């Protein structure tokens, strides 16, 4: 309905004339935005509508239109209930297919709110500029619900401030233009179960210059070398971008700060005048000269006070910073050890606490708290991205945060971290690799290293020097929602794939970390997260994630600790403990959260293994420890945590840490050790010399060269489980019927941790689906997602089915997920495979139970989560490359068998660990005779240290055995077959062939 043609109701007129609402007599009539009479639907873009959102499935509020006799306007109001643990609210977006709205002639926005007197703040935001409501700048303010009953809330547009935690790069132009408005959003209180009612959102009043003109500076911090001159650009801008009607004056004066006037800088003062008629966006410059002396000094600040008349003043006082100079820690020629010791000796306890603190980018707003709390690190959680989500925006965002760190006494640069767990997966357009389970299936350590190198190059090119990867968990139960983050169930396989660390970091001695294509890597999650017992989790509705790992000391060492020892030998820079608890049978401690296990972090990791990097906690993990907050801090730091990820509670953490040290409950020696470890890695990364983003590699992000590595990884990750009659590879002459939910879905084939934490289905990022890859391979295809198209006349069917994305405990089996294909997927498989010869591809993060349909399937492929390069899957389907992948985990017959792993005393799976048929490869002939010869040759190769030869000999024996076994996989076959692959990975080639011979005889 037309927004300017609505009549003001009697109730609204009464409100406008009431003593509680003071409005000028000549104010224009209000312009309705929402009457909540059904004129705006519950819908989302591209259509206009009201929609809810939240951090989890239970956080979006429930909304409805409710008839109320006390409605301030009309007959209905918007009502809702909420119980929010993370964040949640609702939005009204205008249609993105229509022009944006012009609010620039108005003083502000107002609405009626039915107060509950809960004392909670409610955030109200408006959306300005950009392509649509979801790509706009957010400008925010809030009101406190401290009354009962209906009250009209009036908010002048001058009360809104730019929301930097949503788009810290600066969004569109940093100016509330009001000429391109896309709607509003309401963020409801957290931690209180409540209800609300709202009515009659409208624009009111008439804008005047004092409300629509504002003065800004081009930065908040201006670092300058001693003796240089800082240039502070002052700009006047108006909402609507019209020229100013009246003069604007800006009086300025240097005063306060830590620098001495006349010694460190020349004081300046004066007045800038922007005459009436000055164009919006006009700038003038204030220069602040600094003075040179011969003394070595830490950084010093010179605030530039601004007094504005005729416009709104900047949100904060700009600071000129005279850079630290002449101090030993700044000398790049000194050994890192000496630089660290010098810097730590100068730091205060509060500065040390700041270095041990990591906050989420969304929590620090415009970044002022970085200097206030001397923060050492920021991170982006899954899906925490700048707007727009481009490489340029990431680099600008991080540079803006690094600029804030220049205002600290020693200008210690931030170290920014991100979960790039299969490529730079938070960045739209990045190269998304197969998840680790697929990399494990490749059995190709060199490819793992190349995948790590591509990831590092793309991450560092956006200004990020730290990656929370790789996950070195040994996944022992496929019901775990994180199982795809593991390279496999065999510690030997995980260890073999740790070449990824060199891909990420470079040489083990850390000398490559300062390169613009390397990042600091993180071994996670220490230790035993892949061994948690099903049903032991106490986190929300999780079933196994963050639960308890019960093991003997021998099992702990052999299975879960071994990969971390390898990581330390490879020079891993950081280690992240697990959320899970560890229960070492017989040690008398029972289950203890890993973030509290000093015996494992200090004694085993740091002392025994010799780990010299730093330990970073997981997201809010210390909050899961018993006791009060002070004990959380004390226990975790004493256990060996060097940096603590406290995304939104960094103020509480730093204050508590300082208090605990002052009280003598945490030693200063422990603090100095932690800070020294952190600073060592910052120096190795070259951040003190180059804190800002080096974007020279940005052009290679998502490049053909990088995608070629991902394509190869996708191809090598495909595991051919069954291939009756040699159905695969397909021939281009064959007429192929393609169906299935995952055939043409880039989101499903990429999985969780893709753009957002949980990932999502659909066309979420640039790439090639499996269907597109098959078309590009030249296949003669017909596609019908649900197999509703006629199935007559085809040579072969290819059905691509599997899971939809999930991450962490959200994906635990029993938490809304299972190992069964969906009913729709099963129906598609049944229909296609009944009509023609068929190949079924399973896109998933873990094995799916397929045994009841296996007889009706001619070819079966475990495709895992291949990432954005579906051509890699097509490469093996059409025979451009051979199938070479092997199962990195055991494929069970039923869920009742779980957990089932190589080495189990009872072992009767659908497909054993290490199984993987091949194509385009000659299978050896000669049976038992050939196996005897291969065993002798493999033993000789082992003695000679000829690893490559030994691996090739075992591979030949495996192909021979698989050919004889076919689909007759019994327990006497499966157990030695799986054991052989473990022996191969541990370099015992002769024994591996002997085990394969045992399987051959049992077939």
């Amino acid at each position: 309905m037309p927004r300017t043609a609505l009549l003001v109701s009697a109730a609204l007129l009464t409100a406008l004339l009431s003593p509680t609402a003071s409005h000028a007599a000549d104010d224009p009539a209000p312009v309705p935005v929402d009457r909540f009479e059904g004129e705006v639907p519950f819908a989302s873009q591209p259509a206009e509508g009201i929609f809810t959102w939240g951090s989890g499935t239970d956080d979006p509020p429930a909304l409805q239109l409710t008839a109320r006799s006390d409605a301030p306007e009309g007959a209905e109001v918007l009502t809702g209930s909420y119980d929010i643990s993370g964040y949640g609210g609702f939005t009204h977006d205008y249609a993105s297919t229509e022009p944006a709205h012009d609010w620039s002639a108005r003083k502000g926005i107002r609405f009626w709110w039915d107060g509950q007197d809960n004392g909670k703040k409610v955030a109200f935001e408006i959306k300005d500029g950009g392509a649509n409501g979801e790509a706009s700048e957010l400008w925010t303010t809030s009101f406190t619900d401290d009354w009962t009953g209906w009250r009209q809330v009036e908010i002048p547009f001058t009360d809104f401030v730019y929301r930097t935690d949503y788009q810290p790069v600066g969004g569109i132009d940093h100016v509330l233009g009001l000429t391109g408005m896309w709607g509003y959003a309401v963020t409801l209180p957290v931690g209180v179960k409540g209800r609300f009612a709202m009515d009659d959102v409208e624009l009111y009043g008439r804008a005047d210059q004092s409300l629509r003109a504002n003065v800004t500076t081009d930065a908040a911090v201006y670092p300058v070398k001693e003796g240089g001159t800082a240039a502070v650009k002052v700009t006047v801008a108006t909402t609507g971008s019209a020229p100013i009607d009246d003069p604007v004056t800006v009086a300025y004066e240097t005063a306060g700060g830590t620098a001495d006037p006349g010694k460190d800088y020349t004081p300046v003062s004066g007045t800038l005048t922007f005459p009436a008629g000055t164009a919006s966006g006009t700038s003038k410059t204030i220069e602040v000269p600094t003075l040179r002396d011969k003394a070595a000094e830490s950084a010093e600040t010179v605030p530039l006070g601004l007094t504005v008349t005729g416009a709104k003043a900047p949100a904060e006082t700009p600071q000129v910073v005279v850079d630290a100079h002449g101090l030993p820690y700044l000398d790049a020629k000194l050994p890192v050890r000496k630089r660290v010791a010098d810097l730590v000796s100068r730091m205060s306890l509060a500065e040390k606490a700041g270095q041990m603190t990591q906050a989420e980018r969304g929590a620090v707003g415009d970044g002022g708290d970085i200097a206030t709390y001397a923060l050492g690190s920021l991170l982006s959680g899954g899906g925490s991205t700048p707007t727009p989500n481009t490489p340029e925006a990431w680099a600008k965002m991080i540079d803006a945060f690094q600029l804030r760190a220049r205002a600290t006494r020693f200008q210690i640069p931030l170290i920014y971290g991100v979960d790039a767990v299969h490529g730079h997966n938070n960045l739209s357009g990045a190269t998304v690799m197969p998840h680790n389970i697929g990399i494990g299936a490749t059995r190709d350590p060199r490819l793992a290293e190349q995948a790590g190198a591509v990831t590092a190059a793309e991450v560092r090119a956006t200004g990020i020097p730290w990656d929370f990867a790789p996950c070195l968990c040994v996944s022992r139960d496929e019901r775990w929602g994180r199982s795809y983050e593991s390279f496999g169930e065999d510690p030997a396989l995980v260890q073999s794939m740790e070449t990824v660390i060199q891909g990420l970091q470079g040489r083990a001695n850390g000398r490559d970390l300062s390169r613009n294509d390397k990042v600091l890597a993180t071994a996670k999650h220490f230790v035993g997260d892949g061994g948690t017992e099903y049903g032991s989790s106490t986190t929300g509705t999780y079933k196994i994630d963050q639960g308890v790992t019960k093991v003997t000391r021998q099992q702990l060492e052999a299975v879960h600790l071994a990969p971390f020892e390898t990581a330390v030998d490879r020079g891993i820079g950081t280690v992240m403990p697990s959320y899970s608890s560890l229960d070492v049978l017989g040690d008398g401690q029972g289950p203890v959260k890993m973030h509290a296990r000093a015996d494992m972090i200090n004694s085993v990791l740091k002392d025994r293994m010799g780990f010299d990097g730093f330990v970073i906690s997981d997201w809010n993990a210390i909050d899961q420890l018993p006791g009060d907050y002070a004990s959380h801090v004390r226990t975790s730091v004493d256990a060996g945590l060097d940096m603590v990820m406290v995304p939104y509670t960094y103020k509480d953490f730093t204050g508590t840490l300082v208090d605990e040290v002052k009280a003598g409950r945490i030693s200063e020696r422990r603090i100095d050790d932690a800070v020294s470890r952190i600073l060592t890695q910052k120096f190795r990364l070259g951040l003190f010399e180059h804190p800002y983003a080096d974007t020279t590699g940005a052009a290679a992000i998502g490049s053909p060269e990088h995608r070629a590595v991902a394509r190869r990884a996708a191809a090598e990750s495909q595991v051919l489980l069954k291939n009756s009659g040699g159905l695969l590879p397909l021939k281009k002459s064959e007429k192929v019927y393609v169906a299935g939910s995952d055939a043409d879905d880039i989101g499903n084939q990429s999985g969780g941790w893709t753009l957002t934490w949980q990932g999502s289905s659909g066309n979420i990022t640039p790439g090639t689906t499996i269907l597109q890859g098959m078309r590009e391979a030249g296949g003669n295809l017909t596609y019908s997602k649900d197999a509703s198209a006629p199935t007559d006349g085809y040579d072969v069917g290819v059905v691509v089915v599997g899971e939809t994305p999930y991450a962490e405990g959200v994906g635990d089996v029993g938490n809304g997920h299972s190992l069964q294909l969906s009913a729709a997927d099963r129906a598609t498989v049944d229909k296609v495979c009944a009509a023609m010869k068929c190949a079924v591809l399973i896109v998933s993060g873990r094995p799916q139970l397929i045994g009841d349909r296996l007889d009706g399937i001619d070819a079966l492929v475990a495709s895992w989560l291949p990432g954005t390069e579906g051509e890699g899957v097509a490469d093996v389907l059409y025979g451009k490359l051979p199938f070479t992948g092997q199962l990195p985990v055991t494929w069970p017959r039923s869920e009742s068998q779980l957990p089932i792993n190589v080495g189990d005393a009872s072992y009767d799976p659908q497909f054993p660990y290490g199984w993987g048929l091949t194509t385009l490869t000659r299978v050896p002939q000669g049976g038992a005779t050939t196996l005897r010869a291969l065993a002798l040759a493999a033993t000789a190769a082992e003695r000679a240290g000829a690893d490559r030869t030994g691996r090739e000999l075992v591979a030949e024996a495996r192909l021979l055995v698989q050919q004889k076994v076919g689909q007759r996989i019994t327990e006497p076959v499966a157990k030695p077959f799986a054991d052989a692959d473990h022996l191969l990975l541990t370099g015992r080639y002769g024994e591996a062939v002997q085990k394969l011979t045992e399987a051959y005889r049992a077939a």
Side-chain angles (χ1 to χ4, degrees), residues 7 376 481 557 982:
L7 296 177
E557 294 283 348
H982 172 74

Side-chain angles (χ1 to χ4, degrees), residues 48 110 125 284 306 580 640 723 784 828 953:
E48 178 175 6
R110 66 190 180 195
E125 296 160 341
K284 296 179 182 290
L306 303 177
S580 58
N723 194 25
S784 176
T828 304
L953 291 166

Side-chain angles (χ1 to χ4, degrees), residues 643-905:
M643 182 183 287
V644 181
M645 190 186 295
V646 279
Y648 295 95
T649 56
Y650 56 90
K651 297 176 186 178
D652 294 337
F653 174 76
T654 54
T656 303
L657 180 58
V658 168
D659 290 344
E660 289 296 295
V661 176
K662 286 182 177 179
R665 291 186 288 268
I666 299 176
S667 72
E668 291 193 39
R669 181 179 180 183
R670 168 78 271 265
I671 299 299
D672 286 352
D673 172 59
V675 175
S676 296
R677 288 169 175 271
I678 294 164
L679 293 177
T680 296
Q681 300 298 8
K682 290 187 176 184
F683 279 117
R684 286 176 173 173
L685 286 162
L687 295 177
F688 280 82
E689 289 70 45
H690 304 287
Y692 299 115
D694 181 346
T695 59
T696 53
I701 293 173
S703 66
E705 293 77 15
H706 285 183
R707 290 183 184 274
V709 174
R711 178 174 180 169
R712 180 85 189 189
E716 291 192 23
S717 71
Q718 302 301 293
V719 180
L720 184 58
L721 299 172
K722 179 181 181 181
N723 194 25
S724 297
L727 183 66
L728 297 177
L730 302 172
K731 301 177 182 63
K732 292 181 182 179
S733 60
E734 290 178 312
K735 193 175 180 183
V736 180
Y737 187 98
V738 182
S741 58
D742 289 358
D744 196 31
D745 195 308
I746 200 82
N748 285 357
Q749 73 185 45
S750 297
W753 289 107
T754 307
L755 290 187
T756 58
W757 174 41
Q758 291 293 317
S760 59
S761 301
N763 188 22
I764 61 172
T765 192
T768 305
T769 67
I770 294 171
L771 175 67
Q772 291 169 331
M774 293 175 70
R775 284 175 173 155
E776 290 178 14
N780 179 9
L781 310 177
T782 293
Y783 171 60
S784 176
K785 181 176 180 179
D786 59 358
S788 58
T791 56
D792 297 332
Y794 293 92
D795 298 306
V796 62
V798 174
V799 189
V800 189
V801 292
E803 296 185 304
T804 54
Y806 55 80
E808 301 191 30
V810 175
D812 284 353
V813 167
N815 190 22
H817 294 267
S818 77
L819 297 182
Q820 298 282 352
L821 296 177
S822 69
D825 280 351
R826 295 196 298 270
T828 304
V829 170
D830 292 346
K831 183 173 182 180
V832 175
C833 292
M836 65 193 82
K837 292 182 178 179
C838 71
V840 174
L841 278 60
I842 298 180
V843 173
S844 64
R846 52 197 169 192
Q848 302 292 285
L849 302 175
I850 197 74
D852 59 342
R853 282 170 170 75
L854 194 55
D855 288 344
I857 296 171
D858 298 286
L860 180 65
V861 179
S863 286
W864 308 116
L865 299 169
T868 53
E869 308 313 301
E871 304 105 317
V873 180
D875 284 342
V876 293
L877 287 177
Y878 276 98
K880 182 177 181 180
L881 294 173
F883 276 94
T884 56
Q886 295 176 247
L887 283 181
V889 294
T890 300
W891 197 287
R893 295 183 186 275
S894 67
E895 192 172 325
S896 64
Q897 288 186 312
L898 297 174
I900 182 170
N901 296 286
V902 56
D904 287 354

